Structures are given as structure tokens and as C-alpha cells.
Amino acid sequence: MQKEQYLYRTVYEDLRKKIQEGELRAGQKLPPEQEMSQSYGVSAITVKKALSMLAGENLIRRVRGKGSFITGEEERQESAAAQKKGQPLIGAIFEHISSSFGQELMYEMERIARQEGYRLFPCFSYGDRKLETEAIRCLTGLGVEGMLIMPAHGRHYSREILRLVLEDFPVVLVDKKMEGIAVASVRTDGEEAMRQLVRYLSQKGRKQIALVTVEEVGTSTLIERRAGFYSGMEEEGLIPCPECRLPYLNYENPFQVYGEVYREQIRQYLKAWKGSLNGIVCAEYGVALEVTAALRELACEEAIEVCCIDENYIGSGQYRLTHVKQDEKKMADCAMDLLLKKIRGEELEKENYLIPGIFREGPESRKTKMLQSG
């Protein structure tokens, strides 16, 4: 017993000294346990005990299926602070948040986590797969109990998310799904939301309707919304006008993206087709802003009504366009409930959870109705 304890501390103290003196640097991966076992001349169990002690001091993070990595000072302080408070962590990775979507979702997740005795640790990928991967690895190193992930756009699945799923790590996807992968997903029923918007325009006598959307790049949310638009047109017996599909852009600089890149393409599209349109459905609110700006510039704002998914609820004017608002509170409640069940080891009833959106008619449309009825 004494010999085993001595060997354990020898390995631990040697590695600890190398970390403190900078011989082993932040982010550096330690050799495989079997290799260290041979180099130190000890058993694999002894090496595991030494690594466990280093992990307990936040000097390394152990990533299942990947190995052990040296932590940086900032990561150590964050992990130590969380441990000191005695609060287990739940990680959350958002692609982005804005006043039109995401803020209420994050606040509600944080409220529930705090209520359940957890601390929510949010990160952002800005639609960049590399940043998403770094965030997952950081949260894993911090020892989070589970993760809520709004996956970044991409034609191929994230290897890091797949790794979490394969290792049966508690994870729930938010706002998107991964087709064919056994992982829980909570998102708005985008197909039905788009059908509602098409029905709304059709019932107002606006039959020449077009879709303005963003290139899907494998994104389930946009795929579902596009499918909903065309199925809605079919249900109404309408022939869709040519769509305007914009290039996908990440959210590294969200305040300039739409204005600088989309505006000219939308303007050219409307110049070509405005005479054939009287209704437009936008798959995203940011796109709808650029469409309405272009219509105003071309003096055809009255002739073509625009509706969309989401709207801006911050500010005195509140919202202007008829839209379907994503029910962020219900999405957060559902996602947190599922994640907590997975953390407790409970089986989930299903994988896909679709949350109905909230249809809201724009103030100008309501005003017109009131005038007509009066």
C-alpha cells in the first residue's frame, strides 16, 4: 500500500512540477496513459490516480476518448470558482442571440438552471464550427454536467457533437436537429409557422407570394422553413413566385452582415420581380428588415406585404410585421427539462420536440381591418 501510494505521488508530483515550470504548456496533450505507464515504470492504475489528482486541482482536463490536456490559468480560475461555490455547471453554446431571437431563451435557461441548483455557463460560436469545437472542449474541461447546443451551420455534422453523443454525454440540441443521430432536439415547428404565414397572405387576397430565405448549408431550421413555405403554397392552391436565396453568412459581425451583403441582392431581385409580387415570406427577421428597406426605397411598400419568422420586441415601437414568434420560454423549459433528465440518467420518450410558434398580426394590418370594419 505504501509503495503504491509513493508511486502515485511520484507521477503526480513530477507532472505537477512540469506544469508549474512551464515545461508542459496550456493546451498541450499528455501522452496516452499506457505510454506514461511504461515511461514511469508503473501500472496504468497508478497513472490514472495521478491524473485524477491533477484534474482535481484543475491542472489538467480529461476528455473522454481524447486524452488529458494541460489547462490554462483562466480555465483553472473559472473551474475553481465554480467548485468553490459548490454549483455544478451546465454548458450552453449559442450560435448567436439577438433581440429578435435568443435573449429570452438564454435568460429562461439561466433561471431554470439556477432554480435547480446549477450554474449556466454560456459560450458563443457565431456560426463558426471551429469556435463551436473550442467551446465544447472548454466546457468539457470545466466539468459541466451536460450541454445545451445550438449547432453552427454546416453541410457535415460536427465531430465534437457526435463524440458527445457517442460517449452518451448529456446533450440537447436547441433550434436545430441532426438527421439520423440519436440526440434530443428542441426547436420551433418551422414548417407549420411558414404555412401559417402563407395562409395569412392568401386569405388577404395576396396570391402572388415569394420566399426570401438564406442558403441552407445543411441547416435543418432553414430546410424545414423552406419546406413549410412550399407545402403551404400547395395547400392554398397557389403557384409560388421565383424565390430569392441569399448566401449564408456567419454572425462574427451581426450588425453589418445583412446591410452590407444582402441589400444589393435583394434590391436587384425586387427590381426584377416586383411587378409580379404582392406578398413575401421571409425565413428570418434580419432578412425581412432588408426586404422592407428595399421596398421602401423602390416605393412599393404598400403593394407588397412582408411577413416573417421572429420580430424585434425591444423598443417603443415593438413589432411592425406580421410574423410567427418562436416561443423561447417553452423552448427553454423543454430543453432544460430534457437535459436534467439526461443528467439524472432517465430515458427520454422521444428525440424530436417541436414547439408551436405564436402567430402575431402586424399593427398596420390590424389597423386596416379596423378601418374596414368601422
Side-chain angles (χ1 to χ4, degrees), residues 96-203:
H96 75 293
I97 64 170
S98 67
S99 55
S100 60
F101 178 72
Q103 287 186 349
E104 186 181 359
L105 183 75
M106 184 174 70
Y107 293 150
E108 181 67 9
M109 285 176 174
E110 192 281 331
R111 184 193 67 77
I112 297 171
R114 186 162 25 89
Q115 179 180 294
E116 296 294 327
Y118 292 86
R119 178 186 173 195
L120 190 74
F121 196 105
C123 300
F124 298 89
S125 71
Y126 304 102
D128 186 317
R129 182 63 59 77
K130 183 179 177 182
L131 291 177
E132 178 183 79
T133 296
E134 290 174 358
I136 291 174
R137 290 175 180 173
C138 174
L139 291 172
T140 304
L142 289 172
V144 297
E145 300 287 321
M147 290 189 212
L148 299 156
I149 303 177
M150 185 188 292
H153 284 53
R155 297 189 187 280
H156 306 289
Y157 291 154
S158 162
R159 291 183 179 179
E160 286 300 306
I161 296 178
L162 285 174
R163 178 182 63 79
L164 294 175
V165 174
L166 290 172
E167 292 177 1
D168 202 27
F169 185 87
V171 60
V172 172
L173 304 185
V174 181
D175 192 47
K176 297 183 180 74
K177 70 172 180 177
M178 295 171 68
E179 194 68 53
I181 307 300
V183 56
S185 164
V186 178
R187 60 195 189 281
T188 298
D189 189 344
E191 290 195 34
E192 177 55 27
M194 294 294 274
R195 284 195 290 267
Q196 282 182 291
L197 295 174
V198 169
R199 282 197 298 270
Y200 161 78
L201 290 173
S202 178
Q203 288 168 7

Side-chain angles (χ1 to χ4, degrees), residues 1-11 46 49:
M1 176 65 104
Q2 287 181 340
K3 184 179 179 182
E4 180 70 20
Q5 226 173 12
Y6 171 76
L7 292 173
Y8 169 72
R9 292 203 62 85
T10 296
V11 177
T46 298
K49 287 183 178 180

Side-chain angles (χ1 to χ4, degrees), residues 321-366:
L321 302 174
T322 294
H323 64 283
V324 173
K325 174 179 169 57
Q326 299 189 70
D327 195 334
E328 297 180 52
K329 185 178 185 303
K330 283 190 178 178
M331 289 174 71
D333 292 349
C334 181
M336 285 296 295
D337 178 62
L338 296 175
L339 187 65
L340 291 170
K341 284 179 178 177
K342 288 178 73 69
I343 290 172
R344 294 192 293 264
E346 299 177 21
E347 291 291 326
L348 303 184
E349 294 179 4
K350 57 181 182 178
E351 291 169 3
N352 286 305
Y353 293 79
L354 295 176
I355 308 299
I358 305 167
F359 178 83
R360 287 184 174 163
E361 194 170 3
E364 289 303 316
S365 181
R366 292 200 305 272

Side-chain angles (χ1 to χ4, degrees), residues 68-107:
S68 298
F69 299 81
I70 308 302
T71 57
E73 186 58 35
E74 185 178 347
E75 185 176 334
R76 290 169 198 163
Q77 289 177 358
E78 289 172 341
S79 184
Q83 290 177 3
K84 186 177 180 181
K85 288 183 178 181
Q87 287 182 298
L89 295 174
I90 285 177
I93 303 175
F94 299 94
E95 189 178 33
H96 75 293
I97 64 170
S98 67
S99 55
S100 60
F101 178 72
Q103 287 186 349
E104 186 181 359
L105 183 75
M106 184 174 70
Y107 293 150

